[in-house]
Amino acid sequence: MHLPHRVRFIPLTAPIKLISKATKFSFYLNTGVRSSMMEGQQTVSYLEPNNDEASHTNLNMECGDKAIIKDSIGSFTKSVQNESLCQCKEKHTTESDNEAILETLPWSGLHSYTRQDDSAVKEWVLHKEKPSEEDSWHLLDLEQSLPQPAMYSEFLWRDWENLCETEDISDKQFDFSVLSYNILSQDLADQNPELYQHCDPSILHWDYRWPNILQELQHWEADIICLQEVQQDHYKEHVEPSLSAIGYSCHFKRRTGRKTDGCCTCYKTQRFMLLSESHVEFFRPGIDVLNRDNVGLVLLLKPLLPDAQQGRHNPIPLCVANTHLLYNPRRGDIKLAQLALLLAEVDKISLTAHGSHYPVILCGDLNATPDSPLYHLLRYGYLNYRGMPSWKVSGQEQYCTLSNPRILPPLLWPDYLGVTDNCQYAKLHKPKNLDKPIYTRQQLLELRYCECALQRPPHLVFIKGVTDNEPDDFAKASHPVSPTNFPESPSTFLRLPFTLRHSLHLKSAYSHFLPSKGCAEVTTLPMGIGSTVDYIFYSVESSAQGKSRQVIPVHRDSQLKLLGHLRLLCEDDLWVAQGLPNPFCCSDHLCLLARFSMDLTTP
Ligand code: KL2
């Protein structure tokens, strides 16, 4: 299955709701196309009657009245020149005072807004019947008078990028796609209205956003969908019913406390079977650094092979983790502790009987940028945070007011949490013979005669009778033991201060840079500042390379090969669209989508 190369999203032709007593209403200049191919183009405009008389629910505008027609590029005044606009009122006013439904299918409006060189649109235009004379009430003759604004939806087009030369999937591969998407919980949007002042309220409604988000999910047909900020009631009423109807099994973990949203992971039941499901609550009573309500959800999925492959391969399970880490840019200490807990769970779930790991996908909204120490820990498996202020951890310092910065303590959480500095459960990785002494008495005695013990330190002050001793004959005669003969010290639950590590070898499916545009990728645009905080990480093979001290970990695709991803956008693209959400992208984040193949020959 191949994804189309060029894709764009358009909102559904949804009925428009009047927000209040008609101070404002919205209508769509659109093609009305709602095909699964999503061809065609549409523009959303806002139309505001600018005189009081005109401002009532039934849009009772008179000929000659002026209306301000706003679109995302700017606003311009348009006289209502004919009855067509007014006629909408009769046909489409509902009983309810504050809700009028208006559906327009402006043939001529389409012309003025579509790109004539777009083949998909041309085709649609050619095949679409012109509305009949009787239907002329829904013709808005805007063609002549409107300027021709650039279609910002074009800037939102997202290309599919192949990242692997060999296109054909051999029968030794199992290929699958993963989508990660923070869909903006309605409660959070309502609680932080200042973040969405740039949006027309009508596009912020869940009723508007969900059909579009669902359309997007349906379009991409990802085998695994990881959603964040899924509101529990919306999960029950919309997300789970809609996605299970199209072949997904859905799993939800709500944030703790009073938070109404959580993470939701769905997989296609035709492609995977659930082996285990773990809910990770980052809230741990009594531990200050774990006093927030964020959660993670970790599934272990068994790939289901098509008939042709069955019997020949026994695929290994895939571990899929989904999370939404704390937002607070000042509390990097909390973010690191939350991540460590998630990594410990992933380590546990993906651990094989031989002590290695099954392939891992870790995705979600980490509320940390690619140049942040938190990202460094995930990507390179190591972080030294000595002297680091807490606000620095997530790379979001532009949102911090920095008074009295908190410096990260040597150990972020207490030992009794049972998580090591290697982000693993101590219990799972406990040395088997912890109760036994590590070295025998004989081995310790022999240390007296090891080579370094017999050497006089060069700067040792010579004091007669005190430091003038020579090794005695017995020592000289014995065979000095080399320290390498000692059994390796098994790891104990000793934590190195200021240090975090993990052994999952993760790499991001995105490079966080768009070479074609020469700018950074962004996944969200809070307060107008573009940044990447959403990720799809996947496990890679690690081999240390380098001379003696300077060991540089080199990561290669192995069990999982990244085949491609849906290209992200840059800040400028989103600026043109007046930020996020906009009528085309119905969350304040963009979705990430990557395609992998899993090697079925790995034992
Ligand atoms: O950054 V986010 O949005 O991943 O898109 O994650 C959090 C923020 C989400 C869950 O807590 O709610 C948003 N200022 C800006 N955004 C906030 C704030 C805030 N004070 N509080 C929560 N969020």
Side-chain angles (χ1 to χ4, degrees):
M1 187 188 57
H2 290 278
L3 291 164
H5 263 248
R6 190 116 216 234
V7 273
R8 75 201 87 121
F9 278 103
I10 52 176
L12 299 178
T13 319
I16 315 306
K17 282 190 176 169
L18 276 179
I19 309 307
S20 63
K21 282 211 166 189
T23 47
K24 201 177 240 182
F25 74 92
S26 314
F27 70 94
Y28 289 74
L29 287 174
N30 64 30
T31 60
V33 175
R34 196 184 159 175
S35 76
S36 55
M37 297 296 291
M38 290 214 258
E39 285 171 350
Q41 195 130 345
Q42 62 188 15
T43 301
V44 177
S45 297
Y46 306 112
L47 194 144
E48 244 177 295
N50 70 343
N51 80 30
D52 283 335
E53 253 183 62
S55 308
H56 35 85
T57 359
N58 59 6
L59 317 175
N60 197 5
M61 294 172 78
E62 298 296 328
C63 268
D65 272 350
K66 286 196 172 166
I68 299 167
I69 296 173
K70 280 190 186 167
D71 78 355
S72 58
I73 310 295
S75 60
F76 20 85
T77 307
K78 163 91 178 101
S79 296
V80 177
Q81 285 163 347
N82 56 39
E83 283 293 317
S84 60
L85 188 60
C86 312
Q87 283 174 15
C88 299
K89 71 187 183 206
E90 299 297 337
K91 298 192 177 193
H92 294 271
T93 308
T94 61
E95 302 283 310
S96 146
D97 235 1
N98 59 0
E99 199 175 285
I101 306 212
L102 177 76
E103 280 177 302
T104 58
L105 217 143
W107 176 253
S108 50
L110 166 75
H111 256 325
S112 63
Y113 270 90
T114 49
R115 255 177 66 133
Q116 298 304 302
D117 59 350
D118 185 309
S119 58
V121 173
K122 254 192 206 156
E123 205 175 304
W124 186 86
V125 168
L126 285 174
H127 288 93
K128 183 82 188 158
E129 274 179 40
K130 278 208 171 208
S132 67
E133 283 300 309
E134 289 121 61
D135 288 341
S136 62
W137 59 266
H138 58 202
L139 283 178
L140 293 172
D141 189 18
L142 302 172
E143 194 177 3
Q144 305 305 315
S145 49
L146 289 184
Q148 306 275 308
M151 275 295 297
Y152 73 64
S153 62
E154 280 182 29
F155 293 92
L156 301 176
W157 287 359
R158 295 178 61 183
D159 292 332
W160 181 259
E161 186 172 11
N162 278 322
L163 296 165
C164 180
E165 315 245 288
T166 48
E167 274 264 317
D168 49 295
I169 307 292
S170 85
D171 67 345
K172 299 187 185 78
Q173 308 283 319
F174 174 84
D175 77 307
F176 63 95
S177 55
V178 180
L179 181 143
S180 182
Y181 199 179
N182 177 328
I183 60 168
L184 178 58
S185 123
Q186 199 59 41
D187 283 346
L188 286 173
D190 295 345
Q191 283 157 22
N192 300 295
E194 68 286 355
L195 298 178
Y196 309 105
Q197 282 168 1
H198 59 285
C199 302
D200 186 276
S202 62
I203 64 149
L204 264 184
H205 286 181
W206 178 248
D207 292 348
Y208 175 80
R209 297 193 299 114
W210 170 244
N212 287 303
I213 290 170
L214 177 62
Q215 180 184 249
E216 206 172 339
L217 298 176
Q218 274 177 301
H219 179 77
W220 294 121
E221 289 192 300
D223 298 306
I224 298 168
I225 297 177
C226 293
L227 302 176
Q228 302 86 38
E229 286 198 30
V230 181
Q231 202 169 297
Q232 189 171 35
D233 53 343
H234 293 156
Y235 174 77
K236 288 186 180 151
E237 285 162 34
H238 305 119
V239 179
E240 202 276 332
S242 308
L243 292 180
S244 32
I246 53 172
Y248 289 94
S249 169
C250 305
H251 302 260
F252 179 69
K253 173 64 190 164
R254 201 186 77 146
R255 287 201 285 161
T256 48
R258 290 192 190 160
K259 305 294 188 300
T260 55
D261 67 295
C263 296
C264 161
T265 304
C266 314
Y267 60 87
K268 279 205 183 145
T269 51
Q270 276 194 332
R271 311 241 43 223
F272 292 100
M273 190 180 90
L274 184 69
L275 296 177
S276 77
E277 168 174 357
S278 327
H279 292 193
V280 193
E281 295 187 352
F282 301 145
F283 179 82
R284 301 295 161 103
I287 302 182
D288 276 356
V289 78
L290 289 167
N291 65 359
R292 302 301 163 95
D293 290 316
N294 306 73
V295 294
L297 181 58
V298 185
L299 304 187
L300 191 65
L301 299 176
K302 184 182 162 70
L304 298 177
L305 300 184
D307 290 346
Q309 283 176 326
Q310 259 172 29
R312 283 193 285 150
H313 303 289
N314 187 19
I316 47 172
L318 174 73
C319 177
V320 180
N322 179 10
T323 195
H324 184 189
L325 299 186
L326 179 75
Y327 163 72
N328 192 334
R330 291 183 307 277
R331 298 305 302 270
D333 51 341
I334 299 182
K335 296 182 199 227
L336 284 175
Q338 293 185 342
L339 180 64
L341 265 182
L342 181 73
L343 290 172
E345 189 66 26
V346 171
D347 172 80
K348 175 181 143 187
I349 299 299
S350 63
L351 205 59
T352 70
H354 313 290
S356 60
H357 291 102
Y358 293 131
V360 171
I361 298 281
L362 188 156
C363 49
D365 178 346
L366 304 182
N367 270 315
T369 61
D371 56 359
S372 66
L374 184 140
Y375 180 95
H376 186 95
L377 168 64
L378 258 183
R379 173 69 184 89
Y380 298 103
Y382 181 81
L383 177 68
N384 181 335
Y385 55 83
R386 185 187 294 270
M388 188 181 289
S390 187
W391 55 263
K392 214 177 168 72
V393 169
S394 63
Q396 301 160 298
E397 48 264 38
Q398 66 265 47
Y399 308 113
C400 297
T401 40
L402 302 174
S403 55
N404 198 11
R406 187 189 298 261
I407 302 294
L408 297 185
L411 299 176
L412 292 176
W413 56 84
D415 278 356
Y416 68 81
L417 180 65
V419 174
T420 68
D421 55 358
N422 201 30
C423 300
Q424 292 174 321
Y425 293 124
K427 257 198 319 224
L428 264 186
H429 295 268
K430 196 165 71 173
K432 289 183 185 72
N433 52 354
L434 195 64
D435 300 332
K436 284 194 205 156
I438 297 168
Y439 300 118
T440 62
R441 178 178 153 74
Q442 190 52 36
Q443 284 170 328
L444 288 174
L445 282 174
E446 279 174 7
L447 259 184
R448 289 177 303 169
Y449 306 120
C450 77
E451 252 175 283
C452 48
L454 295 180
Q455 268 165 28
R456 167 177 284 275
H459 304 298
L460 188 67
V461 181
F462 189 88
I463 306 169
K464 205 162 172 25
V466 179
T467 61
D468 59 348
N469 268 352
E470 288 284 323
D472 59 27
D473 287 343
F474 173 71
K476 278 180 185 162
S478 73
H479 297 289
V481 251
S482 129
T484 52
N485 283 351
F486 276 85
E488 240 185 68
S489 157
S491 64
T492 57
F493 187 34
L494 275 180
R495 295 160 67 194
L496 286 177
F498 304 110
T499 305
L500 283 177
R501 294 166 292 144
H502 74 84
S503 358
L504 293 171
H505 309 304
L506 298 173
K507 189 176 171 182
S508 165
Y510 285 84
S511 70
H512 318 305
F513 187 74
L514 291 167
S516 57
K517 293 182 177 166
C519 58
E521 295 172 343
V522 304
T523 66
T524 182
L525 197 72
M527 294 165 235
I529 307 171
S531 68
T532 284
V533 295
D534 303 273
Y535 300 92
I536 298 177
F537 278 94
Y538 66 107
S539 53
V540 289
E541 188 182 60
S542 167
S543 55
Q545 269 192 7
K547 287 177 207 145
S548 58
R549 290 168 139 250
Q550 279 287 312
V551 178
I552 305 156
V554 176
H555 291 148
R556 276 194 303 263
D557 287 9
S558 61
Q559 286 169 312
L560 292 182
K561 185 179 281 181
L562 176 65
L563 299 178
H565 62 209
L566 183 63
R567 218 174 261 156
L568 278 162
L569 299 172
C570 65
E571 188 178 304
D572 291 351
D573 298 330
L574 293 174
W575 266 109
V576 176
Q578 286 199 346
L580 289 173
N582 60 54
F584 295 83
C585 305
C586 287
S587 170
D588 58 345
H589 292 243
L590 296 174
C591 73
L592 284 73
L593 175 70
R595 195 159 191 83
F596 301 92
S597 76
M598 189 196 275
D599 183 7
L600 294 174
T601 58
T602 325

